[in-house]
Amino acid sequence: MTVVSEERRFLAAESEIAVGIPGIQLSVRAVRGRPAGRPFGGFHDQVELSGGRWGLAVGDVLSLGPPASGGSLARGVGVARAVLRAMAMTDMPPSMVLAGMNRALLAWSRTERSCLAMAYADVEPAWRGVRVRVSVAGPPTAFARRARGVVRAVGAAGLCLGSRADAGLGDARLTLRAGDSLLLVTAGVSDAVGGPEQVQEILAHSGGGSAARSTEAVLAAVRAAGGGRVAHEAVVLALKVPLRKRNAGTHAAGWPGRARYSGG
């Protein structure tokens, strides 16, 4: 299989991902930048779990050795997604899901070994909000915004998956109430805007709009930082608990931008 056909299959697979979670706003936006000589391995995924729960993931596959080909990173994304889905279905905490992915990446051929910066959240809609467990591998890439405007990074950041056996992974727990949001981004998004603190500032000043407006605010900041262009791949996922039933809705966009939206 040629690199071109593998990359096309990779992009086609991305466009099929991201379905709505009933009663919750969900927005996923992905933009492919074109830095010179750097192929891309960003991805997002959504897994329906048992007991009405969902697994949400955003990650970057990065080469540990010489610059990887697009086909190699496409295979890396395939490995990461396959292991993610298998581990998620075991109903283990997010840190254990990422630990399983870490073992798989370490066992991968040295000629194609990659590391993965990733945030994975297990979300469970409940009567009074959404219960969330989050684990982060790599730099802080998961953020919670409360209805009153307070934003903080969530999940104690461990090491990128595939870099060493002990990745130092942990779980953070929180409950999202009406008006609260959870945002997951690729590491490239954080780098583009100046770090995790800047992501928090963007969310704090986003006005508490819909999940779709949160993702657009972050991508607008990425474009502004790059002088109107996206220099590095950007994937942003936002989940929001609506303030009122009539505001419930979903907004999901695959790659490169197919979207649907309902609700406020």
PDB file of all heavy atoms in Angstrom, residues 86-119:
ATOM      1  N   ALA A  86      -9.912  -1.205  22.408  1.00  0.00           N
ATOM      2  CA  ALA A  86      -9.866  -2.478  23.121  1.00  0.00           C
ATOM      3  C   ALA A  86      -9.749  -2.266  24.625  1.00  0.00           C
ATOM      4  O   ALA A  86     -10.446  -2.911  25.417  1.00  0.00           O
ATOM      5  CB  ALA A  86      -8.697  -3.319  22.608  1.00  0.00           C
ATOM      6  N   MET A  87      -8.875  -1.347  25.043  1.00  0.00           N
ATOM      7  CA  MET A  87      -8.680  -1.093  26.463  1.00  0.00           C
ATOM      8  C   MET A  87      -9.903  -0.404  27.073  1.00  0.00           C
ATOM      9  O   MET A  87     -10.298  -0.697  28.202  1.00  0.00           O
ATOM     10  CB  MET A  87      -7.442  -0.219  26.673  1.00  0.00           C
ATOM     11  CG  MET A  87      -6.129  -0.890  26.334  1.00  0.00           C
ATOM     12  SD  MET A  87      -5.789  -2.373  27.322  1.00  0.00           S
ATOM     13  CE  MET A  87      -5.790  -1.687  28.983  1.00  0.00           C
ATOM     14  N   ALA A  88     -10.523   0.522  26.334  1.00  0.00           N
ATOM     15  CA  ALA A  88     -11.681   1.243  26.861  1.00  0.00           C
ATOM     16  C   ALA A  88     -12.828   0.300  27.189  1.00  0.00           C
ATOM     17  O   ALA A  88     -13.546   0.498  28.171  1.00  0.00           O
ATOM     18  CB  ALA A  88     -12.131   2.307  25.864  1.00  0.00           C
ATOM     19  N   MET A  89     -13.004  -0.740  26.393  1.00  0.00           N
ATOM     20  CA  MET A  89     -14.120  -1.661  26.602  1.00  0.00           C
ATOM     21  C   MET A  89     -13.943  -2.555  27.822  1.00  0.00           C
ATOM     22  O   MET A  89     -14.853  -3.277  28.204  1.00  0.00           O
ATOM     23  CB  MET A  89     -14.322  -2.519  25.357  1.00  0.00           C
ATOM     24  CG  MET A  89     -14.727  -1.724  24.106  1.00  0.00           C
ATOM     25  SD  MET A  89     -16.168  -0.652  24.358  1.00  0.00           S
ATOM     26  CE  MET A  89     -17.446  -1.900  24.562  1.00  0.00           C
ATOM     27  N   THR A  90     -12.769  -2.518  28.460  1.00  0.00           N
ATOM     28  CA  THR A  90     -12.553  -3.304  29.684  1.00  0.00           C
ATOM     29  C   THR A  90     -13.152  -2.626  30.910  1.00  0.00           C
ATOM     30  O   THR A  90     -13.146  -3.190  31.993  1.00  0.00           O
ATOM     31  CB  THR A  90     -11.050  -3.512  29.933  1.00  0.00           C
ATOM     32  OG1 THR A  90     -10.425  -2.242  30.163  1.00  0.00           O
ATOM     33  CG2 THR A  90     -10.391  -4.198  28.748  1.00  0.00           C
ATOM     34  N   ASP A  91     -13.646  -1.369  30.748  1.00  0.00           N
ATOM     35  CA  ASP A  91     -14.232  -0.602  31.846  1.00  0.00           C
ATOM     36  C   ASP A  91     -13.222  -0.231  32.929  1.00  0.00           C
ATOM     37  O   ASP A  91     -13.582   0.028  34.072  1.00  0.00           O
ATOM     38  CB  ASP A  91     -15.413  -1.351  32.482  1.00  0.00           C
ATOM     39  CG  ASP A  91     -16.668  -1.273  31.624  1.00  0.00           C
ATOM     40  OD1 ASP A  91     -16.759  -0.331  30.816  1.00  0.00           O
ATOM     41  OD2 ASP A  91     -17.537  -2.145  31.758  1.00  0.00           O
ATOM     42  N   MET A  92     -11.954  -0.206  32.586  1.00  0.00           N
ATOM     43  CA  MET A  92     -10.928   0.224  33.532  1.00  0.00           C
ATOM     44  C   MET A  92     -10.856   1.747  33.567  1.00  0.00           C
ATOM     45  O   MET A  92     -11.320   2.422  32.648  1.00  0.00           O
ATOM     46  CB  MET A  92      -9.572  -0.360  33.142  1.00  0.00           C
ATOM     47  CG  MET A  92      -9.475  -1.866  33.346  1.00  0.00           C
ATOM     48  SD  MET A  92      -7.779  -2.486  33.193  1.00  0.00           S
ATOM     49  CE  MET A  92      -7.495  -2.210  31.452  1.00  0.00           C
ATOM     50  N   PRO A  93     -10.289   2.322  34.645  1.00  0.00           N
ATOM     51  CA  PRO A  93     -10.136   3.781  34.723  1.00  0.00           C
ATOM     52  C   PRO A  93      -9.289   4.304  33.573  1.00  0.00           C
ATOM     53  O   PRO A  93      -8.477   3.561  32.992  1.00  0.00           O
ATOM     54  CB  PRO A  93      -9.435   3.995  36.071  1.00  0.00           C
ATOM     55  CG  PRO A  93      -9.706   2.754  36.849  1.00  0.00           C
ATOM     56  CD  PRO A  93      -9.791   1.647  35.857  1.00  0.00           C
ATOM     57  N   PRO A  94      -9.431   5.589  33.221  1.00  0.00           N
ATOM     58  CA  PRO A  94      -8.661   6.153  32.108  1.00  0.00           C
ATOM     59  C   PRO A  94      -7.156   5.931  32.212  1.00  0.00           C
ATOM     60  O   PRO A  94      -6.498   5.679  31.200  1.00  0.00           O
ATOM     61  CB  PRO A  94      -9.013   7.642  32.178  1.00  0.00           C
ATOM     62  CG  PRO A  94     -10.409   7.648  32.714  1.00  0.00           C
ATOM     63  CD  PRO A  94     -10.436   6.557  33.733  1.00  0.00           C
ATOM     64  N   SER A  95      -6.585   6.040  33.420  1.00  0.00           N
ATOM     65  CA  SER A  95      -5.139   5.839  33.553  1.00  0.00           C
ATOM     66  C   SER A  95      -4.727   4.433  33.159  1.00  0.00           C
ATOM     67  O   SER A  95      -3.647   4.230  32.574  1.00  0.00           O
ATOM     68  CB  SER A  95      -4.686   6.137  34.980  1.00  0.00           C
ATOM     69  OG  SER A  95      -5.309   5.247  35.901  1.00  0.00           O
ATOM     70  N   MET A  96      -5.580   3.430  33.433  1.00  0.00           N
ATOM     71  CA  MET A  96      -5.276   2.058  33.060  1.00  0.00           C
ATOM     72  C   MET A  96      -5.451   1.851  31.548  1.00  0.00           C
ATOM     73  O   MET A  96      -4.728   1.063  30.935  1.00  0.00           O
ATOM     74  CB  MET A  96      -6.166   1.098  33.833  1.00  0.00           C
ATOM     75  CG  MET A  96      -5.960   1.138  35.337  1.00  0.00           C
ATOM     76  SD  MET A  96      -4.244   0.732  35.790  1.00  0.00           S
ATOM     77  CE  MET A  96      -4.178  -1.002  35.328  1.00  0.00           C
ATOM     78  N   VAL A  97      -6.405   2.558  30.965  1.00  0.00           N
ATOM     79  CA  VAL A  97      -6.570   2.512  29.510  1.00  0.00           C
ATOM     80  C   VAL A  97      -5.304   3.043  28.834  1.00  0.00           C
ATOM     81  O   VAL A  97      -4.761   2.436  27.907  1.00  0.00           O
ATOM     82  CB  VAL A  97      -7.803   3.330  29.074  1.00  0.00           C
ATOM     83  CG1 VAL A  97      -7.859   3.460  27.549  1.00  0.00           C
ATOM     84  CG2 VAL A  97      -9.091   2.678  29.590  1.00  0.00           C
ATOM     85  N   LEU A  98      -4.813   4.187  29.320  1.00  0.00           N
ATOM     86  CA  LEU A  98      -3.598   4.762  28.743  1.00  0.00           C
ATOM     87  C   LEU A  98      -2.379   3.890  29.033  1.00  0.00           C
ATOM     88  O   LEU A  98      -1.470   3.803  28.208  1.00  0.00           O
ATOM     89  CB  LEU A  98      -3.371   6.175  29.272  1.00  0.00           C
ATOM     90  CG  LEU A  98      -4.422   7.223  28.888  1.00  0.00           C
ATOM     91  CD1 LEU A  98      -3.926   8.623  29.268  1.00  0.00           C
ATOM     92  CD2 LEU A  98      -4.760   7.171  27.413  1.00  0.00           C
ATOM     93  N   ALA A  99      -2.354   3.230  30.198  1.00  0.00           N
ATOM     94  CA  ALA A  99      -1.235   2.336  30.516  1.00  0.00           C
ATOM     95  C   ALA A  99      -1.180   1.174  29.531  1.00  0.00           C
ATOM     96  O   ALA A  99      -0.096   0.735  29.119  1.00  0.00           O
ATOM     97  CB  ALA A  99      -1.367   1.820  31.950  1.00  0.00           C
ATOM     98  N   GLY A 100      -2.351   0.649  29.143  1.00  0.00           N
ATOM     99  CA  GLY A 100      -2.383  -0.412  28.141  1.00  0.00           C
ATOM    100  C   GLY A 100      -1.880   0.065  26.794  1.00  0.00           C
ATOM    101  O   GLY A 100      -1.167  -0.644  26.078  1.00  0.00           O
ATOM    102  N   MET A 101      -2.241   1.295  26.431  1.00  0.00           N
ATOM    103  CA  MET A 101      -1.744   1.869  25.184  1.00  0.00           C
ATOM    104  C   MET A 101      -0.232   2.068  25.255  1.00  0.00           C
ATOM    105  O   MET A 101       0.482   1.882  24.262  1.00  0.00           O
ATOM    106  CB  MET A 101      -2.443   3.200  24.915  1.00  0.00           C
ATOM    107  CG  MET A 101      -3.944   3.071  24.706  1.00  0.00           C
ATOM    108  SD  MET A 101      -4.737   4.670  24.395  1.00  0.00           S
ATOM    109  CE  MET A 101      -4.103   5.046  22.752  1.00  0.00           C
ATOM    110  N   ASN A 102       0.257   2.436  26.426  1.00  0.00           N
ATOM    111  CA  ASN A 102       1.687   2.624  26.612  1.00  0.00           C
ATOM    112  C   ASN A 102       2.445   1.326  26.362  1.00  0.00           C
ATOM    113  O   ASN A 102       3.469   1.299  25.673  1.00  0.00           O
ATOM    114  CB  ASN A 102       1.956   3.141  28.029  1.00  0.00           C
ATOM    115  CG  ASN A 102       3.407   3.549  28.230  1.00  0.00           C
ATOM    116  OD1 ASN A 102       3.983   4.259  27.410  1.00  0.00           O
ATOM    117  ND2 ASN A 102       4.005   3.096  29.331  1.00  0.00           N
ATOM    118  N   ARG A 103       1.936   0.220  26.917  1.00  0.00           N
ATOM    119  CA  ARG A 103       2.583  -1.079  26.713  1.00  0.00           C
ATOM    120  C   ARG A 103       2.593  -1.460  25.233  1.00  0.00           C
ATOM    121  O   ARG A 103       3.575  -1.992  24.719  1.00  0.00           O
ATOM    122  CB  ARG A 103       1.874  -2.153  27.531  1.00  0.00           C
ATOM    123  CG  ARG A 103       2.088  -2.013  29.034  1.00  0.00           C
ATOM    124  CD  ARG A 103       1.613  -3.241  29.782  1.00  0.00           C
ATOM    125  NE  ARG A 103       0.165  -3.390  29.701  1.00  0.00           N
ATOM    126  CZ  ARG A 103      -0.690  -2.846  30.564  1.00  0.00           C
ATOM    127  NH1 ARG A 103      -0.233  -2.094  31.566  1.00  0.00           N
ATOM    128  NH2 ARG A 103      -1.983  -3.040  30.453  1.00  0.00           N
ATOM    129  N   ALA A 104       1.494  -1.187  24.544  1.00  0.00           N
ATOM    130  CA  ALA A 104       1.416  -1.524  23.116  1.00  0.00           C
ATOM    131  C   ALA A 104       2.418  -0.715  22.299  1.00  0.00           C
ATOM    132  O   ALA A 104       3.088  -1.250  21.407  1.00  0.00           O
ATOM    133  CB  ALA A 104       0.000  -1.282  22.607  1.00  0.00           C
ATOM    134  N   LEU A 105       2.547   0.576  22.596  1.00  0.00           N
ATOM    135  CA  LEU A 105       3.482   1.409  21.855  1.00  0.00           C
ATOM    136  C   LEU A 105       4.930   1.007  22.130  1.00  0.00           C
ATOM    137  O   LEU A 105       5.776   1.032  21.237  1.00  0.00           O
ATOM    138  CB  LEU A 105       3.267   2.885  22.201  1.00  0.00           C
ATOM    139  CG  LEU A 105       1.998   3.509  21.614  1.00  0.00           C
ATOM    140  CD1 LEU A 105       1.750   4.892  22.218  1.00  0.00           C
ATOM    141  CD2 LEU A 105       2.090   3.611  20.095  1.00  0.00           C
ATOM    142  N   LEU A 106       5.230   0.611  23.375  1.00  0.00           N
ATOM    143  CA  LEU A 106       6.583   0.170  23.707  1.00  0.00           C
ATOM    144  C   LEU A 106       6.928  -1.144  23.015  1.00  0.00           C
ATOM    145  O   LEU A 106       8.101  -1.421  22.728  1.00  0.00           O
ATOM    146  CB  LEU A 106       6.730   0.012  25.224  1.00  0.00           C
ATOM    147  CG  LEU A 106       6.792   1.310  26.031  1.00  0.00           C
ATOM    148  CD1 LEU A 106       6.691   1.023  27.519  1.00  0.00           C
ATOM    149  CD2 LEU A 106       8.072   2.080  25.714  1.00  0.00           C
ATOM    150  N   ALA A 107       5.907  -1.966  22.753  1.00  0.00           N
ATOM    151  CA  ALA A 107       6.137  -3.254  22.096  1.00  0.00           C
ATOM    152  C   ALA A 107       6.205  -3.146  20.582  1.00  0.00           C
ATOM    153  O   ALA A 107       6.558  -4.108  19.898  1.00  0.00           O
ATOM    154  CB  ALA A 107       5.017  -4.236  22.473  1.00  0.00           C
ATOM    155  N   TRP A 108       5.884  -1.986  20.041  1.00  0.00           N
ATOM    156  CA  TRP A 108       5.882  -1.778  18.599  1.00  0.00           C
ATOM    157  C   TRP A 108       7.306  -1.838  18.063  1.00  0.00           C
ATOM    158  O   TRP A 108       8.276  -1.606  18.779  1.00  0.00           O
ATOM    159  CB  TRP A 108       5.246  -0.418  18.293  1.00  0.00           C
ATOM    160  CG  TRP A 108       4.675  -0.294  16.924  1.00  0.00           C
ATOM    161  CD1 TRP A 108       4.372  -1.296  16.059  1.00  0.00           C
ATOM    162  CD2 TRP A 108       4.340   0.931  16.267  1.00  0.00           C
ATOM    163  NE1 TRP A 108       3.846  -0.781  14.908  1.00  0.00           N
ATOM    164  CE2 TRP A 108       3.817   0.578  14.996  1.00  0.00           C
ATOM    165  CE3 TRP A 108       4.411   2.278  16.625  1.00  0.00           C
ATOM    166  CZ2 TRP A 108       3.379   1.526  14.087  1.00  0.00           C
ATOM    167  CZ3 TRP A 108       3.967   3.222  15.719  1.00  0.00           C
ATOM    168  CH2 TRP A 108       3.456   2.854  14.464  1.00  0.00           C
ATOM    169  N   SER A 109       7.443  -2.159  16.799  1.00  0.00           N
ATOM    170  CA  SER A 109       8.758  -2.253  16.162  1.00  0.00           C
ATOM    171  C   SER A 109       9.569  -0.986  16.395  1.00  0.00           C
ATOM    172  O   SER A 109       9.073   0.123  16.270  1.00  0.00           O
ATOM    173  CB  SER A 109       8.578  -2.480  14.657  1.00  0.00           C
ATOM    174  OG  SER A 109       9.802  -2.291  13.990  1.00  0.00           O
ATOM    175  N   ARG A 110      10.867  -1.156  16.729  1.00  0.00           N
ATOM    176  CA  ARG A 110      11.727   0.005  16.970  1.00  0.00           C
ATOM    177  C   ARG A 110      11.850   0.887  15.737  1.00  0.00           C
ATOM    178  O   ARG A 110      12.101   2.089  15.849  1.00  0.00           O
ATOM    179  CB  ARG A 110      13.115  -0.451  17.413  1.00  0.00           C
ATOM    180  CG  ARG A 110      13.154  -0.944  18.852  1.00  0.00           C
ATOM    181  CD  ARG A 110      14.575  -1.229  19.284  1.00  0.00           C
ATOM    182  NE  ARG A 110      14.626  -1.611  20.680  1.00  0.00           N
ATOM    183  CZ  ARG A 110      14.696  -0.767  21.683  1.00  0.00           C
ATOM    184  NH1 ARG A 110      14.728   0.527  21.444  1.00  0.00           N
ATOM    185  NH2 ARG A 110      14.745  -1.184  22.932  1.00  0.00           N
ATOM    186  N   THR A 111      11.671   0.310  14.560  1.00  0.00           N
ATOM    187  CA  THR A 111      11.796   1.111  13.348  1.00  0.00           C
ATOM    188  C   THR A 111      10.609   2.043  13.168  1.00  0.00           C
ATOM    189  O   THR A 111      10.677   2.988  12.388  1.00  0.00           O
ATOM    190  CB  THR A 111      11.901   0.204  12.106  1.00  0.00           C
ATOM    191  OG1 THR A 111      10.703  -0.585  11.996  1.00  0.00           O
ATOM    192  CG2 THR A 111      13.105  -0.706  12.209  1.00  0.00           C
ATOM    193  N   GLU A 112       9.503   1.782  13.899  1.00  0.00           N
ATOM    194  CA  GLU A 112       8.329   2.622  13.768  1.00  0.00           C
ATOM    195  C   GLU A 112       7.809   3.083  15.129  1.00  0.00           C
ATOM    196  O   GLU A 112       6.671   3.461  15.261  1.00  0.00           O
ATOM    197  CB  GLU A 112       7.219   1.868  13.023  1.00  0.00           C
ATOM    198  CG  GLU A 112       7.544   1.586  11.578  1.00  0.00           C
ATOM    199  CD  GLU A 112       6.326   1.152  10.795  1.00  0.00           C
ATOM    200  OE1 GLU A 112       5.234   1.075  11.378  1.00  0.00           O
ATOM    201  OE2 GLU A 112       6.466   0.887   9.593  1.00  0.00           O
ATOM    202  N   ARG A 113       8.678   3.023  16.134  1.00  0.00           N
ATOM    203  CA  ARG A 113       8.221   3.391  17.468  1.00  0.00           C
ATOM    204  C   ARG A 113       7.851   4.865  17.517  1.00  0.00           C
ATOM    205  O   ARG A 113       8.566   5.716  17.006  1.00  0.00           O
ATOM    206  CB  ARG A 113       9.284   3.091  18.518  1.00  0.00           C
ATOM    207  CG  ARG A 113       8.808   3.431  19.932  1.00  0.00           C
ATOM    208  CD  ARG A 113       9.811   3.052  20.990  1.00  0.00           C
ATOM    209  NE  ARG A 113       9.927   1.605  21.092  1.00  0.00           N
ATOM    210  CZ  ARG A 113      10.763   0.998  21.942  1.00  0.00           C
ATOM    211  NH1 ARG A 113      11.537   1.714  22.717  1.00  0.00           N
ATOM    212  NH2 ARG A 113      10.812  -0.307  21.986  1.00  0.00           N
ATOM    213  N   SER A 114       6.731   5.130  18.126  1.00  0.00           N
ATOM    214  CA  SER A 114       6.248   6.499  18.276  1.00  0.00           C
ATOM    215  C   SER A 114       5.863   6.739  19.721  1.00  0.00           C
ATOM    216  O   SER A 114       5.703   5.791  20.504  1.00  0.00           O
ATOM    217  CB  SER A 114       5.029   6.732  17.380  1.00  0.00           C
ATOM    218  OG  SER A 114       5.343   6.542  16.028  1.00  0.00           O
ATOM    219  N   CYS A 115       5.733   7.990  20.089  1.00  0.00           N
ATOM    220  CA  CYS A 115       5.166   8.319  21.386  1.00  0.00           C
ATOM    221  C   CYS A 115       3.842   9.045  21.144  1.00  0.00           C
ATOM    222  O   CYS A 115       3.591   9.550  20.051  1.00  0.00           O
ATOM    223  CB  CYS A 115       6.115   9.151  22.237  1.00  0.00           C
ATOM    224  SG  CYS A 115       6.404  10.823  21.624  1.00  0.00           S
ATOM    225  N   LEU A 116       3.028   9.076  22.169  1.00  0.00           N
ATOM    226  CA  LEU A 116       1.681   9.618  22.025  1.00  0.00           C
ATOM    227  C   LEU A 116       1.381  10.566  23.167  1.00  0.00           C
ATOM    228  O   LEU A 116       1.405  10.185  24.336  1.00  0.00           O
ATOM    229  CB  LEU A 116       0.675   8.461  22.024  1.00  0.00           C
ATOM    230  CG  LEU A 116      -0.808   8.803  21.920  1.00  0.00           C
ATOM    231  CD1 LEU A 116      -1.109   9.452  20.585  1.00  0.00           C
ATOM    232  CD2 LEU A 116      -1.655   7.543  22.085  1.00  0.00           C
ATOM    233  N   ALA A 117       1.131  11.844  22.832  1.00  0.00           N
ATOM    234  CA  ALA A 117       0.636  12.817  23.811  1.00  0.00           C
ATOM    235  C   ALA A 117      -0.883  12.770  23.728  1.00  0.00           C
ATOM    236  O   ALA A 117      -1.448  12.964  22.654  1.00  0.00           O
ATOM    237  CB  ALA A 117       1.159  14.213  23.487  1.00  0.00           C
ATOM    238  N   MET A 118      -1.550  12.526  24.857  1.00  0.00           N
ATOM    239  CA  MET A 118      -2.972  12.212  24.770  1.00  0.00           C
ATOM    240  C   MET A 118      -3.732  12.580  26.035  1.00  0.00           C
ATOM    241  O   MET A 118      -3.199  12.549  27.139  1.00  0.00           O
ATOM    242  CB  MET A 118      -3.124  10.709  24.512  1.00  0.00           C
ATOM    243  CG  MET A 118      -4.539  10.237  24.316  1.00  0.00           C
ATOM    244  SD  MET A 118      -4.543   8.534  23.719  1.00  0.00           S
ATOM    245  CE  MET A 118      -6.294   8.212  23.762  1.00  0.00           C
ATOM    246  N   ALA A 119      -5.007  12.937  25.853  1.00  0.00           N
ATOM    247  CA  ALA A 119      -5.945  13.101  26.963  1.00  0.00           C
ATOM    248  C   ALA A 119      -7.125  12.165  26.704  1.00  0.00           C
ATOM    249  O   ALA A 119      -7.658  12.137  25.589  1.00  0.00           O
ATOM    250  CB  ALA A 119      -6.422  14.543  27.072  1.00  0.00           C
TER     251      ALA A 119
END
